[in-house]
Amino acid sequence: MVSLRFPFSFSQPSNLPHTATRSFSVAVTAAAAAATASVAGIAVYHNQKHPLIQNALNCLFSNQSSHFWASLSFADNSSATVVESKTGTSFPSVLGGSRKLLGIGLRKKSVLGLKNIDVYAFGVYADHDDVKKILSEKYGNMSVAELKENNKLNEDLMEADVCMTVRLQIIYDKLSIRSVRSAFEESVGSRLQKFGGSDNKELLQKFTSQFKDEYKIPKGSVIELSKERGHVLWTTIDGKEVGSIQSKLLCRSLLDLYIGEEPFDRKAKEDIELNLSSLTQK
């Protein structure tokens, strides 16, 4: 049950106060919409009657947690869509039948150090069954509060043979595939060096060479980076498979950009950790 943020200079993630973080809202009926009018953020849409409505209303009027979206269950809502509030970018709550959305965020770039531009929105997914099978044995008896203080959960997720997907949805309409390739050379390259030493240029080149100049990525394009069984990283662009590489180091380095110690979006990482904690509960 799932509980629910190029050659360029990129802004560093800011550690904002909790009260300044994104909020989420649920739009399910006209009546619920009136109740949620004052809540800015992500809306969850579903076109059928469902217990989700009651869960949403309960969350709206509960002050137990500012992450109220984390209490929403999408176990029976694979058709639900989660929307990133700032950009209006929508993400399916489930991919491939069993990969549940843990959190969404934004990747920004800085223009001359004066202005940030949203480059793409991203969603991080993990296979529900894999998390239960692999991580619950170690963490299943710990409370969500205890897991929140445990910095090993994300590390174990990146190291374990858990199927995951990072879905990138392009927002910036002037982004080129060459810029994506250059950005990954820098960001993934730094992680490869961090986790594996300096002798990984061939692995990095094998990964970045998948982003060929022939591919066009206008606004709305989708790039999916999926870690499959055996630590195989599959890359697709708008549904077309462009390559696969078997490398635990590469998978770890890629995921570290989004859920590691210095993530692109710190608030998104917090949401991911919270929802991952819920998934591990026995």
Side-chain angles (χ1 to χ4, degrees):
M1 183 171 71
V2 176
S3 302
L4 308 181
R5 202 185 214 354
F6 278 120
F8 296 127
S9 170
F10 289 99
S11 60
Q12 295 300 312
S14 59
N15 193 4
L16 298 175
H18 202 65
T19 54
T21 57
R22 285 194 302 269
S23 57
F24 301 85
S25 63
V26 180
V28 287
T29 64
T36 61
S38 63
V39 183
I42 289 181
V44 179
Y45 296 91
H46 200 275
N47 59 4
Q48 300 178 13
K49 293 181 179 179
H50 195 277
L52 171 66
I53 297 175
Q54 187 59 51
N55 289 341
L57 293 175
N58 290 341
C59 291
L60 284 170
F61 299 104
S62 170
N63 59 6
Q64 294 180 357
S65 172
S66 61
H67 293 268
F68 79 83
W69 75 306
S71 65
L72 298 178
S73 168
F74 286 105
D76 301 313
N77 288 279
S78 60
S79 62
T81 300
V82 181
V83 180
E84 201 288 316
S85 61
K86 182 179 179 182
T87 63
T89 306
S90 61
F91 289 83
S93 63
V94 180
L95 288 180
S98 61
R99 296 188 193 193
K100 306 298 180 71
L101 180 62
L102 298 179
I104 60 180
L106 292 174
R107 179 64 168 128
K108 301 173 180 290
K109 75 178 181 72
S110 176
V111 179
L112 301 176
L114 300 175
K115 180 180 179 181
N116 286 330
I117 292 179
D118 299 327
V119 180
Y120 61 78
F122 65 84
V124 177
Y125 297 77
D127 187 278
H128 175 270
D129 296 330
D130 284 354
V131 171
K132 283 287 188 182
K133 179 181 178 181
I134 298 174
L135 297 180
S136 288
E137 182 176 347
K138 181 176 180 179
Y139 296 105
N141 293 322
M142 298 176 66
S143 68
V144 173
E146 290 173 324
L147 287 171
K148 188 176 180 180
E149 302 300 321
N150 190 316
N151 58 9
K152 295 295 184 181
L153 181 56
N154 276 9
E155 294 294 318
D156 286 347
L157 177 65
M158 290 187 284
E159 287 290 328
D161 197 8
V162 173
C163 292
M164 298 183 66
T165 294
V166 180
R167 180 183 174 99
L168 316 181
Q169 300 192 186
I170 306 303
I171 297 171
Y172 187 56
D173 57 7
K174 294 181 175 61
L175 188 66
S176 68
I177 197 71
R178 182 175 299 179
S179 297
V180 172
R181 186 169 61 240
S182 177
F184 277 137
E185 285 175 352
E186 179 181 352
S187 59
V188 176
S190 68
R191 266 47 172 208
L192 287 174
Q193 185 172 10
K194 175 181 177 180
F195 299 121
S198 59
D199 190 22
N200 290 291
K201 292 182 179 179
E202 183 177 345
L203 177 59
L204 178 62
Q205 195 279 330
K206 187 176 182 180
F207 171 65
T208 57
S209 67
Q210 296 176 128
F211 301 93
K212 297 179 172 61
D213 289 341
E214 63 193 74
Y215 299 126
K216 307 302 178 184
I217 50 170
K219 183 177 181 179
S221 296
V222 175
I223 299 174
E224 288 189 348
L225 304 163
S226 297
K227 183 178 76 167
E228 304 296 343
R229 194 77 65 222
H231 301 277
V232 177
L233 184 66
W234 282 89
T235 303
T236 66
I237 299 177
D238 287 332
K240 179 181 178 180
E241 295 180 358
V242 299
S244 64
I245 302 170
Q246 197 285 323
S247 171
K248 184 175 181 179
L249 174 60
L250 178 61
C251 290
R252 167 65 192 272
S253 298
L254 189 282
L255 290 171
D256 189 77
L257 300 176
Y258 303 94
I259 60 175
E261 291 182 355
E262 299 180 7
F264 287 156
D265 187 325
R266 195 167 297 279
K267 176 59 174 62
K269 179 189 173 182
E270 292 176 359
D271 289 334
I272 291 166
E273 289 174 336
L274 182 63
N275 294 314
L276 179 62
S277 298
S278 297
L279 274 184
T280 63
Q281 301 301 291
K282 290 184 177 179

